[in-house]
């Protein structure tokens, strides 16, 4: 199975900060990568698909980039509701695999 | 809009079979290019894909669980189900059902709709 490694595992930031989370695949996955946001006690929510396409209804402060093995999720100006855990997911081949998550906390 | 809802026992004894059902509302489980999936998350840990089914009945399972997993679909009830046999404490987790939309023409391939999740504890 393809291994997905996210960094950092946790991150402290302030409202208004620009934040970047990275995800690295153990082999090339083209752009078959999504980003999901999960808040405590809730199901994950799709933010980005195909590495850089914004899911309908998701604020434009979220953006994704990358191809091959290295990907990033950027939040341009953190809002209070953005503090959550973020996961990347590769669906290039089976089984789909998630990164271990990045917990974004308030500084 | 389409919504998913998991249901099933919250407590299962070791060595028994975990059985969950996901009910799809607001749309037909048979329409569109959708794969109906199960994903789980142990408390405080990450997400693990269990498997999926297409409305044709074709399935794919995570190799790590394949020997114990069966996913089926009942189109007449607009439901799909998960059975996980020979459970141990390591199977204790929140179980999510999710819709995977695959549209190669637009590169839209993603788990776009999720159920709220149901906690299953394996304990005697």
């Amino acid at each position: 199975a393809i291994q997905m490694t996210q960094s950092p595992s946790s991150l402290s930031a302030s409202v208004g900060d620009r934040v970047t989370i990275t995800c690295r695949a153990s082999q090339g996955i083209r752009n078959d990568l999504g980003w999901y946001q999960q808040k405590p006690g809730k199901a994950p929510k799709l933010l980005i698909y195909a590495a850089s396409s914004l899911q309908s209804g998701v604020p434009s402060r979220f953006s994704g980039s990358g191809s091959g093995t290295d990907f990033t999720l950027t939040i341009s100006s953190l809002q209070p509701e953005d503090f959550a855990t973020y996961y990347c997911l590769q669906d290039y081949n089976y089984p789909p695999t998630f990164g271990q998550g990045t917990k974004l906390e308030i500084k | 809009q389409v919504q998913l809802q998991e249901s099933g026992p919250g407590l299962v004894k070791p060595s028994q079979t975990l059985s969950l059902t996901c009910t799809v509302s607001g749309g037909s489980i048979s329409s569109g290019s959708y794969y109906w999936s199960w994903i789980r998350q142990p408390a405080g840990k990450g997400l693990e894909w269990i498997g999926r089914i297409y409305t044709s009945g074709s399935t794919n399972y995570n190799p790590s669980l394949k020997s114990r997993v069966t996913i089926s679909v009942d189109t007449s009830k607009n439901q799909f189900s998960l059975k996980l046999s020979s459970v141990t404490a390591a199977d204790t987790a929140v179980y999510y059902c999710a819709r995977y939309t695959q549209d190669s023409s637009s590169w839209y391939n993603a788990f776009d709709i999720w159920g709220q999740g149901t906690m299953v504890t394996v304990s005697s």
Side-chain angles (χ1 to χ4, degrees):
Chain A
I2 295 175
Q3 303 296 316
M4 305 300 293
T5 304
Q6 284 182 236
S7 61
S9 296
S10 63
L11 176 60
S12 293
S14 301
V15 173
D17 283 353
R18 179 183 180 90
V19 168
T20 297
I21 298 169
T22 65
C23 185
R24 174 165 289 176
S26 59
Q27 67 183 72
I29 59 171
R30 301 183 308 190
N31 69 336
D32 294 327
L33 183 111
W35 289 97
Y36 295 79
Q37 176 194 66
Q38 187 178 34
K39 295 182 178 179
K42 300 294 186 182
K45 171 189 172 184
L46 174 66
L47 300 175
I48 300 285
Y49 64 94
S52 60
S53 296
L54 194 66
Q55 168 71 344
S56 176
V58 174
S60 59
R61 63 181 180 273
F62 291 93
S63 64
S65 65
S67 183
T69 60
D70 294 309
F71 302 87
T72 60
L73 172 70
T74 299
I75 310 172
S76 60
S77 179
L78 274 173
Q79 298 302 301
E81 60 268 29
D82 299 338
F83 292 94
T85 299
Y86 293 84
Y87 294 93
C88 61
L89 165 75
Q90 71 80 21
D91 51 6
Y92 173 72
N93 69 7
Y94 279 87
T97 45
F98 292 87
Q100 80 278 14
T102 295
K103 186 173 184 178
L104 180 53
E105 299 175 305
I106 300 174
K107 183 182 287 185
Chain B
Q1 69 282 18
V2 174
Q3 294 182 312
L4 307 182
Q5 178 68 59
E6 305 89 350
S7 59
L11 180 64
V12 181
K13 294 184 186 319
S15 80
Q16 294 191 343
T17 296
L18 177 160
S19 296
L20 296 174
T21 296
C22 183
T23 300
V24 180
S25 60
S28 171
I29 199 171
S30 301
S31 64
S33 299
Y34 305 128
Y35 292 83
W36 304 96
S37 301
W38 289 96
I39 294 164
R40 70 180 182 177
Q41 185 174 36
K45 297 188 177 180
L47 297 152
E48 179 181 34
W49 180 80
I50 299 170
R52 73 176 190 181
I53 190 164
Y54 196 59
T55 49
S56 65
S58 65
T59 55
N60 299 99
Y61 300 132
N62 193 322
S64 67
L65 298 168
K66 187 175 182 178
S67 64
R68 299 194 291 130
V69 173
T70 302
I71 297 176
S72 58
V73 64
D74 186 336
T75 55
S76 67
K77 294 183 178 179
N78 232 29
Q79 295 175 335
F80 63 105
S81 298
L82 168 70
K83 291 188 184 299
L84 181 64
S85 64
S86 305
V87 298
T88 69
D91 297 309
T92 295
V94 175
Y95 285 75
Y96 295 100
C97 57
R99 185 182 80 174
Y100 183 84
T101 296
Q102 186 166 28
D103 183 350
S104 299
S105 65
S106 65
W107 291 92
Y108 190 96
N109 304 310
F111 293 103
D112 58 348
I113 299 177
W114 296 64
Q116 65 184 23
T118 187
M119 178 69 201
V120 178
T121 301
V122 178
S123 175
S124 55

